[in-house]
Amino acid sequence: MNLFQLRAFDAVSREGSFTRAAQRLCISQPAVTGHIKALEERYDLVLFRRTARAAELTPQGQALAEVTGPLFGLVEQAEDLLEANRTLVSGRIEIAVDSPHIVMPLLARLRAHHPGIVVGLILGNAADTREALLSERASVAVLTEAEAHPDLHLSEIAVSRICAVVPRSHPLAHRAALHTAELDGAAMVLREPTSVTRRTFDRACRSARIAPTVLMELDSREAVIEAAAAGIGIGIVLSLECGEDARIAAIPIDGPDLVNRHAIACLARRKNLRLIRAVFGLATGTASEGAQR
């Protein structure tokens, strides 16, 4: 069995892309393609379905990935053990996030402490982010309302509150806070029903027995903010996602059910890898600074 071919397969299965796998392995894309082709021809099977956007695992490929993931995870642990006496002057880590606003302070600290570390950022919704971590396409993830999982090591780093977003000219813009009941019947622009923010808001509405008027369902927080800034309706986002936008006012909504908790996560069996430990330590520092502010 050719380990170079298996490593190439493992990289493509994690990255979902021949191009990104080549970057991960620091070899050419044709070399990666050649390794995969040789592996498939030798064992007379198809490991990937090639589409215009991604390389998707076939059932046979998925079964092999469940073996190669832990195998090359152990290789990384061996490399970490051998590198234990060296400082973190170089390397690469893939971080999956469901909200870039929450992770940016952490990335700034990582850059300040370890400028030689390259970060690959994987953006997606909460489900995508969790799957990227469990499938080992990412080494670390920042998750919102993360559920306990036997394979995951979690550490809470931040808490955010649900906010109503309105234009600066809106009658509510001067308010310090809103009550959920004030949004009964209000025209609103919301995230898609599967988003964590939307599910949290919907639960609070059911608890308060109110029914906002949903004008639009949008698939990103940026789209919600743009629609709210344009005056289409009141938007709902998390307090940590608003940023500095002079066009809008973000008003916290009072209520015990209107907060979301954010955690940094990695696979439990990889939590002692040096680079992952460094990221977790900096995430804790980021959380402390946020609490002080």
Side-chain angles (χ1 to χ4, degrees), residues 172-183:
L172 295 175
H174 69 283
R175 295 281 297 276
L178 293 175
H179 296 289
T180 311
E182 296 180 79
L183 298 175

Side-chain angles (χ1 to χ4, degrees), residues 56-89:
E56 299 176 355
L57 288 165
T58 64
Q60 291 171 311
Q62 183 61 51
L64 182 59
E66 291 174 1
V67 176
T68 62
L71 171 64
F72 289 105
L74 288 173
V75 171
E76 290 179 6
Q77 291 182 44
E79 291 173 344
D80 190 73
L81 177 65
L82 294 171
E83 294 278 353
N85 292 324
R86 297 177 59 183
T87 57
L88 288 170
V89 296

Side-chain angles (χ1 to χ4, degrees), residues 145 160-162 180 196-208 238 253-261:
E145 294 298 319
S160 58
R161 175 163 288 278
I162 299 289
T180 311
V196 174
T197 304
R198 174 69 181 274
R199 294 203 306 266
T200 302
F201 181 66
D202 284 350
R203 280 198 305 269
C205 289
R206 288 194 296 270
S207 178
L238 297 178
I253 304 175
D254 286 339
D257 302 322
L258 287 160
V259 295
N260 280 154
R261 300 185 181 279

